[in-house]
């Protein structure tokens, strides 16, 4: 038996990520040179360190309990980890035993996350944007299912980043989960933060964001109460504190069912140097969806090491609060909403093929092609046209040169964007490369200049430039026709999380350094810098006219900026937790809907979505049906509806005029991204269990 310090360091690194200690994981990853190890993180199962510690603890119990003659000399039960490393055995407290495998098994002496039934597969709770979620030691009954959609006849053709097509016979997957098939999502470096990916884990790519800062442990539901709007001393600046936001306990991540062995693992590895593998730590958004794992997260499961079993509201219930109660095996629970609102299965097409979390998805602006990016180091293009009933998929494998050969990068695809006419797709990856693909899956060019994960990537309106942001603290404008770096901007002092074009040559960028820079091609200094946020700035968006810039942050505020002012025009304070993303409506002057008022939507980890009248600086509607962090919002092309996606596995469609819930659908995994097609007839969504689905809203 032998093991190296690199192996120990990697297990500790993964434990820190999975427990939500994203910044600690980031620093540890850099100091221990995780990125230089030869360990393939995609092959390491979730909770690996805890599993091996648990086995060692069981061995120690046997060693101390059984004499040399093989007889039980002194029975020891419930040995703690600290007792096991002490010189002398301390008499452990008695434990209440129940039949193995039953969800009600509770260790009255252990703390949450303590000794777990050795036969139980650890479940990982993901709260996008804080990085990999926490570990809950609950049991999921064998064979439990979270969805039964089984797309048939899906054909997939693979194309690697060298442009060579390959046949893929494994393009179809059944939606039923296998026994104990829990998926571990590691946003950011490991997949998410989430955007927080969310990091979802490491500050990675809009995965962000690891999403940052949720403390380990079960979350509790709270009410921020009503706060009256107040104005600041600066007459030109206003602060809005419209209230009533609530939080709820995190819901368990569904089994992915994508791999026969059960238990899909994120394929992302810690990234090179600066990234240190902590995409979240760096502030990446969990690809727009970084995932965070919360220790002791609740949700229809029992924490078999907790002194009390807690159960969140049924994952399908649309409610802003949770309740305590006896734990029950996870099961698909009908959504507690009006049946006329719930979208029937016949109107949903579930697309399976990805082997890990799907952080991002985007519709082609000209055709019904849906692109998706995943932690399995692939992007896929799905043909969702009505004439194609088989949902054909093109697999775009992201490869790197190693030893003179093309090998899979094993890094998350964190961002993607179509050009204006839909002829080209750009993708950004944790491997530090941006790539441009044609609609037939051929690789057009590879853009290599970043030194670490790419968190965001956008085409300009003309389609001649691509803009990217990375963990290396820089933003780059690329010439799309040549694939060459036109200009690199190194003004941030920490990882850049998001970028957005103002014009065809000017853009804004935001960072974990709490700053927002506005830059222009050909100018060697920022033409404007906005300061005011007191924590990581997760996302920025210019209004349709390019006059106002909206930003959202982990400081729980939403700010509106103008190029004519140094201070923000509005400081909107109403959310009670981090704000992960924002979107402007496609309405108002200069849009296709000039007679409809311009509004701004914000999505938060407090489980709410808010709609704002930016001119007045007031909250119009607070949308409270989600029960978990909301990672994505998207307006319909006419601005009349808003889609929202949450880690409660639900996609809700709202009326922007009344704030009422119009349609709702519950998938099988936490939702990282939602998007509308150009006609406003279909909504695409990507999820933490590797699924992508499309909702057909016609005839509703």
């Amino acid at each position: 038996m032998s093991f190296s310090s690199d192996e120990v360091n990697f297990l500790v690194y993964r434990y820190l990520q999975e427990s939500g200690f994203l910044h600690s994981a980031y620093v540890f990853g850099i100091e221990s040179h995780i990125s230089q190890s030869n360990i393939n993180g995609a092959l390491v199962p979730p909770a690996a360190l805890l599993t091996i510690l648990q086995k060692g603890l069981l061995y120690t119990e046997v060693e101390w309990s059984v004499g040399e003659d093989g007889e039980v000399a002194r029975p020891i039960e419930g040995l703690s980890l600290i007792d096991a490393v002490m010189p002398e055995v301390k008499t452990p407290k008695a434990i209440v035993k129940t039949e193995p495998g039953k969800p009600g098994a509770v260790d009255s002496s252990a703390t949450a996350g303590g000794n777990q039934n050795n036969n139980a597969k650890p479940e990982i709770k993901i709260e996008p944007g804080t990085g990999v979620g926490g570990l809950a030691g609950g049991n999921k009954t064998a064979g439990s299912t979270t969805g039964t959609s089984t797309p048939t006849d899906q054909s997939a053709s693979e194309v690697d980043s060298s442009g060579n097509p390959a046949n893929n016979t494994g393009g179809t997957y059944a939606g039923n989960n296998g026994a104990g098939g829990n998926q571990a999502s590691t946003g950011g470096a490991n997949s998410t933060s989430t955007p927080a990916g969310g990091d979802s884990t490491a500050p990675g790519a809009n995965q962000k964001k690891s999403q940052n800062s949720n403390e380990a442990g079960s979350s509790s539901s709270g009410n921020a109460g009503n706060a009256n709007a107040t104005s600041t001393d600066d007459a030109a600046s206003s602060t809005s504190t419209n209230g009533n936001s609530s939080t709820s306990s995190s819901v368990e991540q569904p089994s992915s069912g994508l791999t026969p062995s059960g238990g899909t693992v994120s394929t992302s590895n810690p990234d090179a140097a600066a990234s240190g593998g902590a995409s979240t730590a760096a502030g990446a958004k969990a690809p727009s969806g970084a995932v965070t794992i919360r220790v002791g997260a609740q949700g229809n499961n029992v924490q078999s090491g907790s002194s009390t079993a807690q159960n969140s509201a049924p994952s399908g219930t649309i409610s802003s609060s949770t309740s305590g109660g006896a734990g029950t095996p996870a099961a698909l629970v009908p959504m507690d909403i009006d049946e006329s609102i719930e979208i029937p299965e016949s109107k949903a097409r579930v697309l399976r093929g990805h082997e890990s979390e799907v952080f991002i998805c985007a519709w082609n602006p000209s055709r019904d092609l849906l692109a998706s990016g995943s932690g399995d180091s692939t992007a896929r293009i799905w043909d969702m046209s009505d004439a194609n009933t088989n949902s054909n998929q093109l697999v775009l494998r992201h490869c790197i040169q190693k030893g003179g050969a093309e090998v899979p990068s094993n890094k998350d695809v964190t961002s993607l964007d179509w050009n204006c006419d839909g002829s080209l797709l750009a993708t950004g990856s944790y491997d530090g490369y941006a790539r441009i693909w044609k609609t037939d899956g051929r690789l057009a060019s590879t853009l290599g200049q970043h030194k670490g994960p790419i968190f965001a990537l956008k085409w300009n309106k003309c389609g001649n430039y691509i803009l990217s942001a990375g963990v290396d603290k820089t933003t780059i404008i690329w010439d799309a026709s040549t694939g060459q770096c036109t200009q690199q901007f190194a003004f941030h002092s920490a990882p850049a999380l998001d970028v957005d074009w103002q014009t065809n040559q000017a853009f804004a960028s935001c960072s974990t350094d709490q700053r927002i820079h506005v830059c222009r091609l050909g100018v060697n200094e920022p033409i404007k810098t906005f300061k005011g946020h007191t924590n990581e700035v997760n996302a920025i968006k210019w209004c349709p006219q390019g006059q106002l810039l909206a930003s959202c942050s982990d400081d729980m505020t939403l700010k509106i900026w103008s190029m004519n002012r140094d201070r923000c025009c509005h400081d909107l304070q109403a959310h009670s937790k981090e704000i992960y993303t924002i979107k402007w409506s496609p309405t108002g002057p200069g849009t296709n809907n000039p007679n409809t008022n311009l509004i701004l939507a914000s999505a938060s980890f407090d489980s709410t979505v808010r709609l704002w009248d930016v001119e007045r600086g007031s909250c119009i509607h607070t949308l409270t049906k989600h029960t978990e962090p909301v990672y994505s919002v998207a307006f319909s092309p006419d601005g009349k509806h808003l889609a929202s996606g949450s880690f409660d596995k639900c996609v809700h469609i709202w009326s922007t005029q009344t704030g009422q819930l119009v349609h709702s659908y519950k998938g099988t995994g936490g939702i990282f991204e939602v998007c509308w097609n150009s006609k406003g007839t279909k909504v695409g969504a990507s999820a933490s269990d590797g699924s992508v689905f499309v909702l057909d809203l016609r005839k509703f």
Side-chain angles (χ1 to χ4, degrees):
M1 177 183 71
S2 66
F3 55 85
S4 66
S5 60
D6 281 347
E7 292 173 325
V8 175
N9 289 339
F10 186 82
L11 293 181
V12 171
Y13 168 78
R14 283 286 290 268
Y15 166 76
L16 291 173
Q17 279 195 323
E18 293 170 352
S19 299
F21 303 114
L22 304 177
H23 295 285
S24 297
Y26 174 65
V27 174
F28 181 76
I30 293 178
E31 292 184 343
S32 60
H33 303 291
I34 290 294
S35 62
Q36 298 176 20
S37 70
N38 295 322
I39 300 171
N40 186 350
L43 302 179
V44 179
L49 180 62
L50 297 183
T51 300
I52 200 68
L53 286 176
Q54 191 177 51
K55 290 180 179 179
L57 197 59
L58 290 173
Y59 178 87
T60 303
E61 283 187 5
V62 174
E63 184 182 36
W64 287 357
S65 300
V66 180
E68 294 181 358
D69 57 358
E71 297 295 327
V72 177
R74 44 176 179 171
I76 295 177
E77 291 183 344
L79 181 67
S80 74
L81 195 58
I82 297 300
D83 287 341
V85 299
M86 297 292 282
E88 297 181 0
V89 182
K90 296 181 180 179
T91 305
K93 298 179 182 179
I95 61 172
V96 179
K97 298 174 69 177
T98 61
E99 184 178 346
K102 294 282 181 156
V106 175
D107 181 345
S108 61
S109 67
T111 56
N115 295 334
Q116 301 174 0
N117 183 336
N118 192 42
N119 295 323
K121 291 191 183 244
E123 295 193 2
I124 292 187
K125 308 264 178 174
I126 299 183
E127 186 167 319
T130 42
V132 184
L135 298 176
N139 278 342
K140 190 148 190 181
T141 55
S144 64
T145 63
T146 54
T148 57
S149 29
T150 58
T152 59
D153 237 334
Q154 282 185 351
S155 59
S157 56
E158 299 181 4
V159 179
D160 61 25
S161 55
S162 63
N164 298 321
N167 293 329
N168 177 12
T169 58
T172 62
Y173 294 81
N176 290 333
N177 294 318
N182 292 326
Q183 176 184 8
S185 165
T186 60
N190 241 6
S191 81
T192 205
S193 160
T194 226
D199 241 272
S200 251
T201 307
N206 267 356
Q207 276 178 155
K208 186 178 183 156
K209 281 198 69 232
S210 339
Q211 297 166 129
N212 304 323
S213 46
N214 291 320
E215 58 277 304
S218 56
S219 57
S220 59
S221 92
N223 192 322
N226 288 323
N228 296 325
T230 59
S231 59
T232 63
D233 293 337
D234 183 354
S237 176
S238 65
T239 299
S240 171
T241 57
N242 302 303
N244 275 349
S245 54
S246 61
T247 62
S248 60
S249 60
S250 59
V251 177
E252 70 173 320
Q253 181 181 1
S255 305
S256 72
L258 293 182
T259 60
S261 59
T264 304
V265 179
S266 166
T267 59
S268 54
N269 281 332
D271 235 296
S275 73
S279 70
T280 348
K285 263 184 126 175
S288 274
V291 177
T292 65
I293 300 181
R294 310 232 358 222
V295 176
Q298 306 167 356
N300 284 345
N301 81 355
V302 175
Q303 301 171 356
S304 51
S306 173
S307 57
T308 59
Q310 291 183 321
N311 177 16
S312 73
S315 52
T317 300
I318 309 303
S319 165
S320 58
S321 64
T322 62
S323 58
T328 56
L332 185 61
V333 181
M335 298 175 64
D336 186 17
I337 58 177
D338 190 325
E339 291 183 358
S340 62
I341 292 177
E342 185 173 357
I343 296 175
E345 292 294 334
S346 61
K347 286 291 185 178
R349 295 174 69 179
V350 180
L351 313 172
R352 296 200 180 270
H354 281 297
E355 299 172 5
S356 187
E357 315 94 327
V358 187
F359 298 118
I360 189 79
C361 61
W363 288 98
N364 184 296
S366 303
R367 303 161 53 190
D368 266 354
L369 298 177
L370 181 65
S372 57
S374 167
D376 63 7
S377 75
T378 73
R380 296 175 191 240
I381 299 177
W382 311 83
D383 186 351
M384 299 306 301
S385 59
D386 294 335
N388 181 15
T389 58
N390 294 329
S391 304
N392 295 332
Q393 59 177 301
L394 287 173
V395 182
L396 314 180
R397 299 203 173 276
H398 289 56
C399 298
I400 57 175
Q401 287 286 340
K402 191 172 184 179
E406 291 274 346
V407 297
S409 69
N410 289 330
K411 303 291 184 180
D412 303 349
V413 176
T414 57
S415 51
L416 52 80
D417 192 34
W418 293 96
N419 67 346
C420 54
D421 63 5
S423 60
L424 297 172
L425 175 70
T427 61
S429 168
Y430 258 73
D431 64 13
Y433 291 95
R435 296 171 175 84
I436 302 176
W437 309 81
K438 297 185 178 181
T439 54
D440 60 3
R442 287 182 297 160
L443 182 67
S445 57
T446 299
L447 320 178
Q449 183 82 14
H450 279 293
K451 301 187 184 308
I454 294 175
F455 292 156
L457 176 144
K458 302 276 179 65
W459 288 88
N460 66 351
K461 291 182 180 179
C462 287
N464 59 331
Y465 291 125
I466 295 174
L467 175 65
S468 61
V471 74
D472 60 5
K473 310 174 189 177
T474 73
T475 54
I476 297 177
I477 293 180
W478 307 86
D479 185 323
S481 62
T482 65
Q484 298 300 308
C485 170
T486 301
Q487 186 172 351
Q488 187 165 16
F489 304 83
F491 305 134
H492 286 293
S493 60
L497 298 183
D498 197 18
V499 287
D500 197 40
W501 290 98
Q502 179 189 26
T503 66
N504 283 310
Q505 294 190 339
F507 68 93
S509 62
C510 65
S511 165
T512 60
D513 65 7
Q514 307 172 13
R515 300 289 188 264
I516 300 169
H517 294 309
V518 181
C519 303
R520 179 176 289 118
L521 183 64
V523 180
N524 294 324
E525 294 291 335
I527 59 177
K528 191 80 172 180
T529 296
F530 296 121
K531 303 176 183 178
H533 282 295
T534 58
N535 209 326
E536 300 180 4
V537 184
N538 297 330
I540 49 174
K541 294 289 184 295
W542 288 100
C543 72
Q545 285 188 307
Q547 296 178 349
L548 298 176
L549 179 68
S551 63
C552 63
S553 166
D554 280 357
D555 64 12
M556 301 181 288
T557 71
L558 172 66
K559 300 184 190 298
I560 310 298
W561 312 85
S562 170
M563 292 295 288
N564 299 324
R565 300 189 48 189
D566 292 330
R567 298 185 60 181
C568 63
C569 305
H570 295 293
D571 185 8
L572 308 176
Q573 302 178 16
H575 286 291
S576 61
K577 284 192 177 182
E578 299 94 324
I579 306 175
Y580 187 72
T581 192
I582 47 179
K583 290 289 175 61
W584 292 93
S585 62
T587 56
T591 70
N592 293 329
N593 311 290
N595 298 322
T596 305
N597 292 333
L598 177 67
I599 58 178
L600 181 67
S602 58
S604 169
F605 288 172
D606 66 10
S607 306
T608 70
V609 175
R610 289 178 178 268
L611 300 182
W612 303 86
D613 181 328
V614 176
E615 185 176 347
R616 294 184 301 167
S618 61
C619 181
I620 306 171
H621 299 295
T622 301
L623 315 179
T624 61
K625 295 296 185 181
H626 284 298
T627 59
E628 288 298 317
V630 183
Y631 279 91
S632 180
V633 288
F635 283 94
S636 60
D638 60 8
K640 294 181 179 179
H641 294 95
L642 178 78
S644 61
S646 162
F647 247 61
D648 61 10
K649 309 175 189 174
C650 294
V651 172
H652 292 330
I653 311 295
W654 313 82
S655 166
T656 56
Q657 294 179 336
T658 66
Q660 295 297 308
L661 183 63
V662 178
H663 304 301
S664 188
Y665 179 81
K666 183 162 184 259
T668 54
I671 309 300
F672 279 123
E673 186 78 15
V674 292
C675 55
W676 293 80
N677 68 347
S678 59
K679 297 178 182 178
T681 57
K682 298 175 183 177
V683 170
S686 59
S688 63
D689 67 341
S691 65
V692 179
F693 57 86
V694 174
L695 306 176
D696 189 342
L697 301 181
R698 290 173 293 185
K699 299 181 181 178
F700 270 96

